[in-house]
Amino acid sequence: MTFLDELRALLGPEHVLTGGDTDSYTLDWRGRYQGKALAVARPGDTEAVAAVVRLCARHRVPVLPQGGNTSLCGGATPDQEGGTLLLSLGRLNRIRSVDTDNDTITVEAGCILQAVQQAAEQAGRLFPLSLAAEGSCSIGGNLATNAGGTQVLRYGNTRDLTLGLEVVTPDGRVWHGLRGLRKDNTGYDLRDLYIGSEGTLGIITAATLKLYPLPVARCTALLALPGVEEAVQVLSRARAGFGAMLTGFELMAGYCLQGVVRLYPQQRLPFSGASAESPWFALLELSDSESEAHARERFEHVLGEVLEAGLATDAAIAENVAQTRALWHLRESIPLAEAAFGKAVKHDVSVPISRIAEFVRTTNGLLQANFPGVTHVIFGHLGDGNLHYNVAPAPGQAEADLLALQARIYQVVHDSVHAHQGSISAEHGVGQLKVEELTRYKDPLELDLMRRIKQALDPDGIMNPGKVVRV
Amino acid sequence: MTFLDELRALLGPEHVLTGGDTDSYTLDWRGRYQGKALAVARPGDTEAVAAVVRLCARHRVPVLPQGGNTSLCGGATPDQEGGTLLLSLGRLNRIRSVDTDNDTITVEAGCILQAVQQAAEQAGRLFPLSLAAEGSCSIGGNLATNAGGTQVLRYGNTRDLTLGLEVVTPDGRVWHGLRGLRKDNTGYDLRDLYIGSEGTLGIITAATLKLYPLPVARCTALLALPGVEEAVQVLSRARAGFGAMLTGFELMAGYCLQGVVRLYPQQRLPFSGASAESPWFALLELSDSESEAHARERFEHVLGEVLEAGLATDAAIAENVAQTRALWHLRESIPLAEAAFGKAVKHDVSVPISRIAEFVRTTNGLLQANFPGVTHVIFGHLGDGNLHYNVAPAPGQAEADLLALQARIYQVVHDSVHAHQGSISAEHGVGQLKVEELTRYKDPLELDLMRRIKQALDPDGIMNPGKVVRV
């Protein structure tokens, strides 16, 4: 039997897709990467995943795991050769269990993030991972890329929300590591090695995740700010004044929100006059275990001090759920509006929070010196030092002309990130987009250690080849 | 030149100890492990550590890093052969920098934990790692063992408090990974691989750690509880009612605190009558970013509900700092009092919080069936599912008679831990004490993966041989 015959015998022919049926799997969702797959396998449970991987190992067929196919770095798209088996985790989509006393949930890799959030909420708990793609990305992909999002300031990245994993190794064995323990110091931290390894060391098939109490109240405010320095000072005061109640701190260049309300007239800024024209805005979110009134009282107290100190020029606190949604909707509309600003050269970077103002000032200067007139579309998670520092066409510049400069723009921005001790991939991962960039910015020793780990755990190199690190 | 001559030439003879000068390094602090060292090397900075390791690699001399020598598992004690170089990090004790805007501190491995806490506090920040040995353990040892302690419920283990590392690899190169970033997804998580690896993969020489705002107020209460089931329910209500304000939840068998006040008459329980004779107690700590009055008001509100629901039989809230200290002092006196109860067979275990009541009931039953009359000295960090589940002599039983049963007691307790999906080393690590136990309870696949990593990163096997995993 050929490889494909064996695969069909294993899974049933209806779960092995070939030809045109693979198209929606081999094109990434932004339409930037088009690969080819030998076939798409859709195993239905962990044992079937292991059996497929054993088959691949025997035939030396490379295997690429895919969740919701929402990678922003081409991490889930195969190469052009057509020799890779694309293994979709989509059918592993069960919530296996919820343990409210232990505050944990055990889910399969193919669960959509929103389904995990909803299962938690039905049990009276919060699963705090939250990001733009939550309606379509899978928790397996979140784990594979150590996804971040808007709640990292308080709850951490996906890594920090994970207690245990179930993993299929490249030789098709199953590591049953679904522990629900807050403390476990019995050897090397394999869990965190698989998290963020983008399917290059094994396939995560399930995870035991942390749950939190549902907040009793949430309260949101938009601040108008004179500059990034002031935003950093507001963050510092907010952390001191709100403690762990502070669950969101998003920074947005004025240009972003002003563009959103221009494009979508049904959306409005809660400011008028000079405040509406502010060069920067920040969206703050409090989560309170006590009451709406308490959250509101704290917000007014701390924001009052911030306004008095001249760190913010204006503040609007949402009065109700509808206003809260409207403020978040402004923030979440930026990526959509960006498309209308003209396709941008995108960066997902982080620097120490103490250097972020200097980073923005310096990098904006470098961009204008090198690419006069380009538009800076800057927004992100200030509380994590993470900016989506995007570069859109200059007024009147054709998209294609800007994209022709992409490699040079990357270099200017990433050189600056590097000079500020930052990361060129804060929350999106490496995929195929940044493999080459890593060789430029990573310590060669670190690359050497990564290669040794790859070789130790995937000696035949069949797991998602060409991603993260070249061996 | 011999190895020792070269070592003396490298560090200066005053920093190479031999013979009797090594005695305080080769005996662990509890006096359980006595090893022999070829010499003790005391390099003064990272480059000197790297040079010593290069020398060891060239001569194939095993090297064992040691911090404050407070391991509870013999992790920092060499074997009997006398062929190992003990490398003390004691002279690497500088606070390299504090970055208040980024909420980070960068410290060398030899810094005493308390010195790190104090440096943070001087900068108006909290470094929350807190444990009994904080006056003598080093942060390098905390990192090597992923130490836990009393604040894990809110702030996590040492792993969760670490952003970046500087590491000397077994071939004597230096990985400069001292990043102060909350988000960085550029490849495999080497940081978490070194954390908790107990010096078997490399030597951590410095770390960049997270800081938090100093709480404005702390408030502490002691609760008298009828049983462990009720304690778990109180924990659940406290997590919901206090949210992230809840920074401590310690569970103690009545026997422990009743023993403390019997032994140390200057200490008192804040209860009388039946409450003082309670079978269980819990110590709760709130940290508030708002005010003393607010913490107190919240405490009274939630504890009122807990008492009304019959989950606790009595509660005493500390009225001032002196009373707060007195309550914590009761808890911290348990390990000292234990010595007076008779030397115990100690366990450092964790199970899912939802199974902890069943675990205690079952295991107590098994112990009494196998070793009639032995005393259960149970206390620990309920919020993390972590119990120090110790077994002291039966009334009238000689210590030696109990210790003769040690291996059998380990097996009864650890078999029960394993049956309850728990960990046989929650926060103390593996060291040499539990290497053999791991081969009993760990998935063979997991041991295989650990061995592969060890071989990949330390191919000559010179780093702290015999600890954590046998290759």
Side-chain angles (χ1 to χ4, degrees):
Chain A
M1 285 207 288
T2 67
F3 172 79
L4 283 179
D5 289 339
E6 285 192 66
L7 191 62
R8 288 191 186 100
L10 206 58
L11 300 180
E14 68 277 27
H15 296 306
V16 179
L17 314 180
T18 52
D21 292 345
T22 68
D23 287 353
S24 64
Y25 296 87
T26 55
L27 178 68
D28 80 308
W29 75 285
R30 291 202 300 166
R32 299 266 175 117
Y33 297 95
Q34 172 72 67
K36 277 185 202 153
L38 183 61
V40 173
R42 294 173 42 83
D45 58 29
T46 301
E47 201 27 69
V49 173
V52 171
V53 173
R54 284 195 296 272
L55 181 66
C56 289
R58 191 146 50 78
H59 288 267
R60 293 280 197 279
V61 169
V63 55
L64 179 152
Q66 188 182 88
N69 193 18
T70 61
S71 171
L72 291 161
C73 304
T77 310
D79 63 20
Q80 308 287 335
E81 307 292 317
T84 298
L85 181 72
L86 197 153
L87 192 155
S88 167
L89 278 303
R91 290 176 64 217
L92 279 81
N93 61 357
R94 280 165 304 173
I95 306 288
R96 288 201 194 157
S97 62
V98 180
D99 182 342
T100 51
D101 275 340
N102 198 40
D103 277 320
T104 48
I105 187 168
T106 298
V107 303
E108 293 184 343
C111 288
I112 300 301
L113 172 54
Q114 207 163 57
V116 181
Q117 295 166 343
Q118 286 166 354
E121 197 163 338
Q122 278 160 23
R125 295 293 187 276
L126 174 74
F127 179 63
L129 185 66
S130 177
L131 44 87
E134 61 197 26
S136 52
C137 65
S138 73
I139 190 70
N142 301 144
L143 288 156
T145 56
N146 184 29
T150 59
Q151 305 281 298
V152 172
L153 172 64
R154 164 68 182 97
Y155 298 102
N157 298 287
T158 304
R159 178 184 308 293
D160 307 294
L161 297 171
T162 308
L163 293 176
L165 292 182
E166 180 185 88
V167 175
V168 172
T169 58
D171 52 5
R173 291 183 288 172
V174 181
W175 174 43
H176 299 282
L178 286 176
R179 295 171 195 138
L181 304 172
R182 260 81 185 169
K183 283 182 175 170
D184 176 24
N185 280 344
T186 54
Y188 302 151
D189 183 10
L190 300 174
R191 177 190 67 202
D192 285 306
L193 195 53
Y194 288 115
I195 296 173
S197 69
E198 306 188 27
T200 63
L201 301 176
I203 301 178
I204 296 170
T205 50
T208 297
L209 306 166
K210 290 184 197 169
L211 299 178
Y212 288 84
L214 275 172
V216 170
R218 279 211 181 95
C219 204
T220 308
L222 191 71
L223 269 63
L225 300 161
V228 182
E229 287 85 350
E230 287 82 0
V232 171
Q233 288 185 58
V234 172
L235 173 65
S236 186
R237 292 203 178 204
R239 278 176 55 103
F242 300 132
M245 288 170 71
L246 183 67
T247 48
F249 197 113
E250 301 283 302
L251 181 70
M252 298 156 283
Y255 181 88
C256 299
L257 290 197
Q258 287 139 13
V260 165
V261 296
R262 213 167 39 239
L263 274 169
Y264 309 111
Q266 72 280 21
Q267 294 197 48
R268 299 194 309 112
L269 282 174
F271 300 121
S272 57
S275 299
E277 296 306 312
S278 181
W280 293 93
F281 295 101
L283 185 66
L284 276 70
E285 183 192 75
L286 289 197
S287 298
D288 198 329
S289 54
E290 195 170 332
S291 67
E292 197 79 49
H294 179 254
R296 176 79 195 206
E297 183 271 316
R298 287 305 291 160
F299 233 159
E300 285 174 356
H301 178 75
V302 175
L303 295 188
E305 289 178 351
V306 160
L307 287 166
E308 207 163 297
L311 298 173
T313 50
D314 211 342
I317 303 180
E319 299 286 340
N320 51 46
V321 173
Q323 289 186 11
T324 297
R325 286 210 185 117
L327 290 184
W328 272 107
H329 193 45
L330 282 168
R331 159 68 182 85
E332 285 156 2
S333 300
I334 297 173
L336 284 175
E338 260 197 298
F341 301 157
K343 248 183 195 154
V345 176
K346 294 177 188 239
H347 304 90
D348 164 41
V349 305
S350 64
V351 294
I353 294 165
S354 49
R355 305 196 67 177
I356 212 159
E358 176 201 327
F359 167 77
V360 170
R361 196 171 44 241
T362 309
T363 315
N364 282 358
L366 287 166
L367 284 172
Q368 290 306 319
N370 284 278
F371 316 103
V374 291
T375 309
H376 312 148
V377 184
I378 305 172
F379 61 99
H381 320 292
L382 187 70
D384 321 317
N386 176 199
L387 292 182
H388 299 299
Y389 188 98
N390 298 343
V391 180
Q397 186 180 24
E399 280 180 9
D401 291 343
L402 183 81
L403 289 179
L405 300 169
Q406 178 161 288
R408 285 181 54 209
I409 295 174
Y410 279 161
Q411 186 168 345
V412 167
V413 173
H414 288 166
D415 280 357
S416 181
V417 167
H418 192 63
H420 288 86
Q421 270 87 56
S423 166
I424 63 161
S425 184
E427 58 174 8
H428 295 167
V430 178
Q432 49 186 293
L433 175 64
K434 292 180 184 167
V435 176
E436 200 55 45
E437 294 281 282
L438 276 204
T439 64
R440 185 179 174 88
Y441 297 108
K442 274 265 185 208
D443 185 341
L445 170 56
E446 191 169 344
L447 287 172
D448 175 40
L449 295 168
M450 284 170 58
R451 278 188 207 105
R452 289 194 202 193
I453 289 165
K454 169 75 175 170
Q455 280 161 338
L457 298 189
D458 178 25
D460 296 325
I462 65 164
M463 293 305 310
N464 204 1
K467 310 294 161 53
V468 185
V469 63
R470 293 223 179 84
V471 180
Chain B
M1 284 206 289
T2 67
F3 172 79
L4 284 180
D5 290 337
E6 285 192 66
L7 191 61
R8 289 191 186 99
L10 207 57
L11 300 180
E14 70 277 25
H15 295 306
V16 178
L17 313 180
T18 53
D21 292 344
T22 68
D23 287 354
S24 64
Y25 297 87
T26 55
L27 178 69
D28 81 308
W29 74 285
R30 292 201 300 167
R32 300 264 175 120
Y33 297 95
Q34 172 71 69
K36 277 186 202 149
L38 183 60
V40 173
R42 294 174 42 82
D45 58 29
T46 302
E47 201 26 68
V49 174
V52 170
V53 173
R54 284 194 296 272
L55 181 66
C56 289
R58 192 146 49 78
H59 288 267
R60 294 280 197 276
V61 169
V63 54
L64 179 152
Q66 187 182 88
N69 193 17
T70 60
S71 171
L72 291 161
C73 304
T77 309
D79 64 21
Q80 308 287 335
E81 308 291 320
T84 299
L85 181 72
L86 198 154
L87 192 156
S88 168
L89 278 304
R91 290 176 63 217
L92 279 80
N93 61 357
R94 280 165 303 173
I95 306 288
R96 288 201 193 156
S97 62
V98 180
D99 181 342
T100 50
D101 274 340
N102 198 40
D103 277 319
T104 49
I105 187 168
T106 298
V107 302
E108 293 184 344
C111 288
I112 300 301
L113 172 53
Q114 207 163 56
V116 180
Q117 295 166 343
Q118 286 166 354
E121 198 163 338
Q122 278 161 24
R125 294 292 186 277
L126 173 73
F127 179 63
L129 185 65
S130 177
L131 43 86
E134 62 196 27
S136 52
C137 66
S138 72
I139 190 71
N142 302 144
L143 288 156
T145 57
N146 185 30
T150 59
Q151 304 281 299
V152 173
L153 172 63
R154 163 68 182 96
Y155 298 102
N157 297 287
T158 304
R159 178 184 307 295
D160 306 294
L161 298 171
T162 307
L163 294 177
L165 292 182
E166 180 185 86
V167 174
V168 172
T169 58
D171 52 6
R173 291 183 288 172
V174 181
W175 174 44
H176 298 282
L178 285 176
R179 295 170 195 139
L181 303 173
R182 260 82 185 167
K183 283 182 175 169
D184 175 24
N185 280 344
T186 53
Y188 302 152
D189 184 10
L190 299 174
R191 176 190 68 202
D192 285 306
L193 196 52
Y194 289 114
I195 296 173
S197 69
E198 305 189 29
T200 63
L201 301 177
I203 302 178
I204 296 170
T205 50
T208 297
L209 306 166
K210 290 185 198 169
L211 299 177
Y212 287 84
L214 275 173
V216 170
R218 279 209 181 95
C219 205
T220 308
L222 191 70
L223 269 63
L225 302 160
V228 182
E229 287 85 351
E230 287 82 359
V232 170
Q233 288 185 57
V234 172
L235 172 65
S236 186
R237 290 202 180 205
R239 278 176 54 103
F242 300 133
M245 289 171 70
L246 183 67
T247 48
F249 197 113
E250 301 284 301
L251 180 71
M252 299 155 283
Y255 181 88
C256 299
L257 289 198
Q258 287 139 14
V260 165
V261 296
R262 214 168 38 241
L263 274 169
Y264 309 111
Q266 72 281 20
Q267 294 197 49
R268 300 191 311 111
L269 283 173
F271 301 121
S272 57
S275 298
E277 296 306 312
S278 181
W280 293 93
F281 295 101
L283 185 66
L284 276 70
E285 183 193 76
L286 290 196
S287 298
D288 198 329
S289 54
E290 194 170 332
S291 67
E292 197 79 47
H294 178 254
R296 176 79 195 206
E297 183 270 317
R298 286 308 289 161
F299 234 158
E300 285 174 358
H301 179 76
V302 175
L303 295 188
E305 290 179 349
V306 160
L307 287 166
E308 207 163 298
L311 298 173
T313 50
D314 211 341
I317 303 180
E319 299 285 342
N320 51 46
V321 173
Q323 289 187 11
T324 297
R325 285 210 186 118
L327 290 185
W328 273 106
H329 193 45
L330 283 168
R331 159 67 182 86
E332 285 155 4
S333 301
I334 297 173
L336 285 174
E338 260 197 299
F341 301 156
K343 247 182 195 157
V345 177
K346 295 178 186 238
H347 304 90
D348 164 42
V349 306
S350 63
V351 294
I353 294 166
S354 49
R355 305 196 67 178
I356 211 159
E358 176 200 329
F359 166 76
V360 170
R361 195 170 46 241
T362 309
T363 316
N364 282 358
L366 288 166
L367 284 172
Q368 290 306 319
N370 285 278
F371 317 103
V374 290
T375 308
H376 311 148
V377 184
I378 304 173
F379 62 98
H381 320 291
L382 187 70
D384 322 317
N386 175 201
L387 292 182
H388 299 298
Y389 188 98
N390 299 342
V391 181
Q397 184 180 26
E399 279 181 8
D401 291 344
L402 182 81
L403 289 178
L405 301 169
Q406 177 160 289
R408 284 181 54 209
I409 295 174
Y410 279 160
Q411 186 169 344
V412 167
V413 173
H414 288 166
D415 279 358
S416 181
V417 167
H418 191 64
H420 289 86
Q421 271 88 56
S423 166
I424 64 162
S425 184
E427 58 174 9
H428 295 167
V430 178
Q432 50 186 293
L433 176 63
K434 293 180 183 167
V435 176
E436 200 55 45
E437 295 280 283
L438 277 204
T439 64
R440 186 179 172 89
Y441 297 108
K442 275 265 185 206
D443 185 340
L445 170 56
E446 192 169 343
L447 287 172
D448 175 40
L449 295 168
M450 284 169 57
R451 279 190 206 103
R452 289 195 202 192
I453 289 166
K454 169 76 175 168
Q455 280 162 337
L457 298 190
D458 179 25
D460 295 327
I462 67 164
M463 292 305 311
N464 204 1
K467 311 294 162 52
V468 185
V469 64
R470 293 223 179 84
V471 179

